Amino acid sequence: MNTKLGRRDLIRASLAAAGAGAILTASPQTVMAAESTPSVPENTTILFQGDSITDAGRDRKNQSTNNARGLGNGYPVLIAGKLLSAHPESKLTIHNRGISGHKVPDLAARWQKDCLDLKPDVLSILIGVNDIWHKLNGRYDGTVADYETGYEALLQQTQAALPKTRIIICEPFVLRCGAINDKWFPEFDERRAVAKKLADKMKLDFVPFQTMFDEAVDLAPPQYWAADGVHPTLAGHALMAKKWLEVFYQA
């Protein structure tokens, strides 16, 4: 039997096995720590891709990795801080290449340089809000079908070039406040469904951000999580980072 693992499989296997291994030799306190932060393979490269929500005001001239200015002020830097502090032995490399205003076609235009050439072991993508926002503003005419076709092509290109990369699809989301009104629906929900459909179809991981925020508004009003309904506040980004890490660490 061939037991050789690809890098994507190694990441998954390491995360799944960490807690079980600790149970055999560690104290209860150590077991709890191991279960909350499973090991990550050495030299893992993580890339965050998307629009302004991922960009989060990053310094685009600063391309150095694991750098707060280059990672921005949003969920990628919060995730990076958690991972880098929890796994100093893993020598992680973390990039942010989100660009404000971008849609699926914009990602496609820069994908070689800003994704494939970086050869990430883990690729996180959050895209979709501008694909409808720019349409509502008369600056774009892409349909839901265009979103699906373009997104799927991007994912297929990635899997062909980087077959060992673990891809995490983040669900596009909005909160009903600020810029968000009835004109967004039902089309926005249709676009959200496309992201989930592609994740299921291609057997990719999925972060349910909309479901998360729908539950969060039971605790605080929408403005608390995203003042304009699109761009998260610090609390919103922290919530996103927590949910993303839950998916990342799952077996």
Side-chain angles (χ1 to χ4, degrees):
M1 180 175 65
N2 184 3
T3 59
K4 184 176 181 180
L5 293 176
R7 187 159 185 80
R8 176 170 58 182
D9 299 318
L10 178 61
I11 291 173
R12 290 181 182 278
S14 296
L15 295 176
I23 290 173
L24 299 177
T25 59
S27 67
Q29 293 85 355
T30 304
V31 170
M32 290 177 65
E35 288 176 339
S36 61
T37 55
S39 63
V40 177
E42 276 193 26
N43 302 313
T44 293
T45 295
I46 301 172
L47 170 63
F48 291 95
Q49 268 291 359
D51 51 38
S52 58
I53 299 170
T54 302
D55 183 325
R58 71 182 177 90
D59 180 358
R60 297 179 200 164
K61 295 180 181 179
N62 188 336
Q63 300 294 334
S64 57
T65 60
N66 305 347
N67 181 283
R69 291 183 62 185
L71 288 169
N73 301 312
Y75 73 97
V77 76
L78 298 177
I79 292 168
K82 177 68 174 178
L83 291 175
L84 291 168
S85 63
H87 306 287
E89 75 290 346
S90 294
K91 302 174 185 177
L92 304 178
T93 299
I94 304 177
H95 303 270
N96 183 353
R97 289 294 187 274
I99 295 183
S100 180
H102 274 202
K103 305 176 292 296
V104 167
D106 300 304
L107 292 191
R110 60 185 178 87
W111 207 239
Q112 184 66 48
K113 173 175 66 73
D114 281 349
C115 178
L116 303 185
D117 288 351
L118 297 176
K119 296 180 171 58
D121 301 297
V122 179
L123 168 63
S124 174
I125 309 173
L126 172 57
I127 198 72
V129 70
N130 289 317
D131 295 71
I132 182 172
W133 202 355
H134 290 186
K135 181 180 179 182
L136 292 172
N137 290 338
R139 298 160 53 192
Y140 181 61
D141 59 3
T143 65
V144 174
D146 293 330
Y147 176 68
E148 180 172 357
T149 301
Y151 205 165
E152 184 170 13
L154 199 68
L155 295 171
Q156 289 174 338
Q157 178 188 3
T158 305
Q159 290 186 324
L162 304 171
K164 298 178 182 179
T165 294
R166 177 185 178 186
I167 301 176
I168 301 177
I169 300 296
C170 298
E171 181 181 30
F173 62 88
V174 294
L175 289 87
R176 287 182 178 267
C177 63
I180 307 305
N181 54 44
D182 289 343
K183 293 180 180 179
W184 285 66
F185 305 96
E187 185 171 332
F188 181 72
D189 290 332
E190 293 169 359
R191 291 173 184 267
R192 285 197 303 110
V194 164
K196 181 65 165 66
K197 174 184 175 181
L198 292 176
D200 291 343
K201 177 180 179 179
M202 305 180 78
K203 295 180 172 56
L204 308 176
D205 292 310
F206 184 76
V207 185
F209 281 146
Q210 185 68 66
T211 301
M212 177 195 75
F213 278 119
D214 287 346
E215 295 172 353
V217 297
D218 290 335
L219 304 175
Q223 295 86 345
Y224 181 81
W225 306 109
D228 65 356
V230 174
H231 299 96
T233 60
L234 178 57
H237 276 292
L239 207 60
M240 292 174 68
K242 181 176 182 294
K243 179 59 68 176
W244 191 96
L245 284 165
E246 288 175 4
V247 173
F248 176 74
Y249 281 128
Q250 73 185 8

